[in-house]
Every structure is written in C-alpha cells, then in structure tokens.
Amino acid sequence: LDDLRLFHRATTPSLSSSHLSSSSSPKIAFLFLTNSDLHFLPLWNRFFRTAKTSRYNIYVHADPTVNITRPTKSVFDERFIPNAKRTFRASATLISATRRLLATAILDDPANAYFAVLSQYCIPLHSFNYIYRSLFTAKTFDLTSNSSDLTQYGVRVKYKSFIEIISKEPRLWKRYVARGRFVMMPEVPFEDFRVGSQFFVLTRKHALLVVKDRTLWRKFKLPCYRASECYPEEHYFPTLLSMQDPDAVTRYTLTRVNWTGTVAGHPYMYKPKEVSAKLIYELRKSNYSSSYLFARKFSPDCLKPLMGIANSVILRD
C-alpha cells in the first residue's frame, strides 16, 4: 500500500512534471540498488567532490534486512530512502526497488532530468563533468542519434533513455514462458518481449512512464515456475519502454559489463590484480557511444587499486 501511495504522489501532475522549467539546471539522479555496504564509497565521494551540488542528487535503496553501514560525513549521508524493502536476485523485488527509487527521485526534485541506476559493484569510468556533458550537451556522444536531434549549439532537442533492449537472444522463448506458456498474454505477446541490462539511464519522461505503469507490472510480478530462466529485472524495463516509446530509447546501456566466464548468471567479476589504467581504457570503448560511463562488476577488495588510479586515470578526462 505504501508503494501505491508513493507512485500515486509521484505521478500527480502538479508534482511530476516531465519537463524542466527554463530556470532549472538539469540534474542527474544517481540511484543505487544495494544489499550490502557501498564498497566503493571513497571512489564515489571523490567522483562527486568535483561536481556542483546543483547538478546531481543521490538516492540509495538498501535492503533493510541486511546490516548495512550508513555513511556519515559523506555525499551519501541521509541519501538512503525510507521505504526500502527486501530484495532478491532474479525476482520482481528488484523491479519494485527500482520503481521506488525512481518515484522518490521524481518527487524529491523536479530538476532531476536523468536517472542512472547503479549497484554497489559499479564504478564510474569518467569524471562527473565528463558524464554530465555527455548526457546533456555533447554533440557526438550518442553515435546512433540523428543530427536532427541536436541544435546548432549541440544541445539535444530530444533526450533519449540509454537502456539495453535486445529482441534476439537464444533463450528468449524460455524466459518468456517461465511463468507459463500463455500467462503473459494478451498484454505482452512474445514478439514484444525484450531483454536487457537492469542498469540504465532513463529520462524523466520514461521514469514517469515506469512509475505509472500498472498493466505490464501485473504480469511481470507473477512468480515463475522455471526459476533458471526467470530474471524479471532484465525483462520488465526493456519490454515496457520498447512497447511504449521505442523511438525515444537508444537500445544500448552506458554501463559496461563482461559476460565472458559467466557463473550462474552472474557477469565476470574483476579482481584487484586486474585493475589498471589499461583496463579502464578498455572498459570505456563502445560501438554505440563515445564511451561507456560506468562499469561493473568489481570485487570489494578492488577499492585500493582503484583509488590508486582514481585521479590519474578514472577521473581524469
């Protein structure tokens, strides 16, 4: 019931404008999903230290059943949202948690224009200023965009969401029928079913679209009888946006992940000995944009070597 109240408030027209006023400086809302301590807190603190506070907000959804250290004297101080609930991997609880973060950020600040979903295993690949310029003003950042999407000054007329949307995947049918052969019908026919990363950057318009949705949510929250094929958090968001507003999404994510050596559905996790300037430069490479902006998945003990190259590599543009 508290989720419904939150979503209702977030989608009330007087509170949830999908457009910024001309006097507003657009902000990036950084949304962290975690069920453990924020392993790379010192790195993120250094990342935000160079940013104007008028250009970002931070929100953390932390599993309340886990004893998580709440940082003080940090940019994350008092940024943990109050209505967090327990989350489980490969379940609709991660969809719910993301929707709570989006709704909270929509209500908190009308200047939040982009919403970046991250985890405790994510790191930035660039400085804040580089990321801000890439999302709001860079002429050539999105290699898939048309020149008609830009003004002569390089400011985008049409902001797009950076979310991975895949329509051809070997196990797509098995994922689709994980709840039963006809359960998703008629709202989600197989030809509209999509898959993609749960870590994305949404525009305010699309954040509102997600929070407003009831129709597809009723389907994706249903339990699966085939758990090995059920990853609702990788299905719901790509399917919803692909069905509702396909022309306003890039169909790729800005968070780099390595799927070689996958174990039990988990992506590859980088270890301390692998952290180097060469790795950061390699992780930035993208076929769709000027650069990836974030990366995962790093083991917690990577913090020390990451901090060692933070100023000279990661945050240096």
Side-chain angles (χ1 to χ4, degrees):
L1 190 59
D2 57 340
D3 274 1
L4 288 174
R5 291 195 192 101
L6 174 65
F7 298 159
H8 178 72
R9 287 181 59 219
T11 54
T12 299
S14 61
L15 299 173
S16 63
S17 173
S18 61
H19 301 285
L20 299 175
S21 67
S22 58
S23 61
S24 300
S25 175
K27 296 182 181 181
I28 305 173
F30 291 82
L31 314 179
F32 287 85
L33 275 171
T34 187
N35 59 359
S36 70
D37 285 347
L38 295 169
H39 306 304
F40 303 115
L41 182 68
L43 178 60
W44 284 107
N45 276 332
R46 192 172 296 185
F47 169 82
F48 286 113
R49 191 185 302 162
T50 62
K52 296 179 180 178
T53 55
S54 61
R55 290 187 167 184
Y56 73 89
N57 282 306
I58 300 169
Y59 307 88
V60 183
H61 184 290
D63 188 325
T65 67
V66 180
N67 185 21
I68 295 175
T69 304
R70 302 276 178 120
T72 57
K73 298 180 180 179
S74 155
V75 292
F76 287 83
D77 189 21
E78 297 184 1
R79 302 317 301 165
F80 286 64
I81 67 173
N83 54 340
K85 296 180 179 64
R86 192 172 188 181
T87 55
F88 301 91
R89 178 176 174 263
S91 77
T93 60
L94 289 173
I95 301 175
S96 295
T98 304
R99 282 158 57 98
R100 283 183 211 110
L101 279 167
L102 290 169
T104 302
I106 288 168
L107 275 171
D108 181 60
D109 195 336
N112 285 332
Y114 266 120
F115 301 74
V117 180
L118 302 159
S119 82
Q120 72 270 40
Y121 299 108
C122 290
I123 67 164
L125 291 176
H126 288 280
S127 71
F128 176 89
N129 291 331
Y130 180 97
I131 291 175
Y132 191 88
R133 289 195 306 269
S134 297
L135 291 177
F136 289 110
T137 62
K139 283 185 178 182
T140 58
F141 176 71
D142 177 15
L143 303 181
T144 68
S145 66
N146 299 318
S147 57
S148 60
D149 292 340
L150 303 173
T151 68
Q152 61 177 321
Y153 302 106
V155 178
R156 291 194 186 91
V157 178
K158 301 175 183 177
Y159 286 108
K160 290 186 176 182
S161 289
F162 296 87
I163 178 170
E164 186 177 49
I165 299 177
I166 300 172
S167 58
K168 294 181 180 179
E169 198 262 356
R171 305 183 72 86
L172 197 63
W173 173 252
K174 290 186 176 180
R175 289 178 178 230
Y176 179 72
V177 298
R179 298 169 185 82
R181 189 177 180 89
F182 302 107
V183 171
M184 303 300 285
M185 291 292 287
E187 290 85 353
V188 188
F190 176 64
E191 55 267 26
D192 290 337
F193 186 70
R194 299 290 184 267
V195 64
S197 171
Q198 70 180 103
F199 300 100
F200 43 71
V201 180
L202 298 188
T203 60
R204 188 176 183 89
K205 175 187 175 183
H206 287 159
L208 278 163
L209 189 153
V210 168
V211 174
K212 287 179 180 178
D213 173 59
R214 300 290 182 272
T215 306
L216 265 64
W217 167 240
R218 293 190 190 100
K219 294 293 184 176
F220 282 93
K221 73 177 180 179
L222 296 173
C224 298
Y225 73 86
R226 187 182 291 166
S228 61
E229 305 291 347
C230 194
Y231 299 95
E233 71 278 15
E234 296 179 1
H235 305 154
Y236 172 75
F237 301 102
T239 301
L240 175 65
L241 292 179
S242 178
M243 291 178 69
Q244 296 288 333
D245 199 7
D247 294 332
V249 293
T250 63
R251 299 182 179 271
Y252 66 85
T253 179
L254 297 177
T255 300
R256 180 73 179 268
V257 62
N258 183 355
W259 286 107
T260 59
T262 301
V263 178
H266 291 283
Y268 182 81
M269 181 175 282
Y270 294 100
K271 303 298 190 295
K273 288 191 290 187
E274 298 174 88
V275 175
S276 66
K278 182 179 178 181
L279 175 64
I280 299 301
Y281 298 145
E282 190 64 31
L283 291 175
R284 287 175 176 174
K285 294 178 182 177
S286 170
N287 294 327
Y288 309 103
S289 65
S290 297
S291 174
Y292 280 101
L293 301 183
F294 311 102
R296 59 186 286 265
K297 193 175 186 183
F298 287 80
S299 65
D301 50 353
C302 285
L303 176 62
K304 185 175 180 180
L306 285 170
M307 292 299 289
I309 61 172
N311 290 339
S312 59
V313 179
I314 298 175
L315 304 180
R316 182 182 180 184
D317 303 320

